[in-house]
Amino acid sequence: SSLARVILRGCAALTAAGSDARMAGSAMPVMTSAGSGNQGIVATIPVVAYGRRHGIEDRQVLSAVALAHLVTMYITAHVGYLSALCGVAIKAGIGAACGLVYEMGGGVEDVERVIKIMAATLTGMICDGAKIGCALKASSAADSATRAALLAMRQAEVPDDNGIVASTAEQTVRNLAELGRSMEVEAT
């Protein structure tokens, strides 16, 4: 629907603007997540923007933001703080998607679905260090998180025989971690 397109563009644009300003040297403080300002932007802005757009109670928005950050930290505990995989996408993007599902009234099954949808969508995005281009990755993560949340709430699923996706969200996260470890370069 046209409302869904407006929501997708708005969340992605606000998130990209925050990351772009940060990477350009803005002195404005941001909330970090798992030690990263860009991850904090991605885990927070789409969730808050969606909540404000839909008139969701502040308490539920705050709970959704907390969930987004908890999921981001959970994935970080498996993948690590630094990885060849883009943390904005695979950590904070997945966290934001979980927060959005919570705001939309989803339950545990919907959160599990959204984790798998996000892993299937953004896993191939690599990190080449924090720089201006991160705003594009942040925009993609916010757009994908919003789209994945909408899909999960419609019971859309990615089968567990699709790439990195496993039968459970937990195993999918472990697969992400294994992929990240396989990309490590040993110093010689």
Side-chain angles (χ1 to χ4, degrees):
S1 76
S2 61
L3 178 59
R5 283 190 297 278
V6 168
I7 293 166
L8 290 170
R9 280 189 300 242
C11 289
L14 288 170
T15 304
S19 176
D20 185 52
R22 181 173 180 274
M23 293 291 92
S26 172
M28 182 157 290
V30 298
M31 177 183 287
T32 65
S33 189
S36 166
N38 279 334
Q39 286 178 192
I41 288 168
V42 171
T44 305
I45 290 179
V47 178
V48 172
Y50 182 88
R52 287 186 178 161
R53 173 83 174 164
H54 289 7
I56 297 172
E57 282 184 34
D58 286 347
R59 183 181 201 97
Q60 186 172 352
V61 172
L62 290 173
S63 293
V65 168
L67 176 61
H69 287 278
L70 287 170
V71 170
T72 301
M73 275 305 303
Y74 174 79
I75 296 170
T76 300
H78 289 278
V79 173
Y81 282 94
L82 295 176
S83 169
L85 299 172
C86 175
V88 162
I90 68 146
K91 295 189 279 185
I94 293 173
C98 293
L100 288 163
V101 162
Y102 179 81
E103 277 185 322
M104 293 174 185
V108 173
E109 300 84 14
D110 303 306
V111 169
E112 176 127 356
R113 271 195 295 279
V114 84
I115 290 170
K116 293 173 171 185
I117 292 168
M118 286 295 288
T121 304
L122 293 178
T123 294
M125 193 178 293
I126 62 167
C127 175
D128 59 346
K131 55 181 65 80
I132 294 292
C134 289
L136 295 170
K137 293 177 181 180
S139 175
S140 293
D143 178 73
S144 292
T146 310
R147 189 180 317 274
L150 292 167
L151 288 169
M153 293 303 292
R154 292 184 180 119
Q155 282 73 47
E157 296 196 46
V158 177
D160 61 10
D161 64 351
N162 281 233
I164 199 143
V165 178
S167 60
T168 66
E170 292 85 1
Q171 184 58 51
T172 300
V173 170
R174 287 193 291 273
N175 289 349
L176 286 170
E178 184 61 34
L179 177 63
R181 281 189 294 280
S182 75
M183 296 171 73
E184 291 176 2
V185 178
E186 291 187 32
T188 56

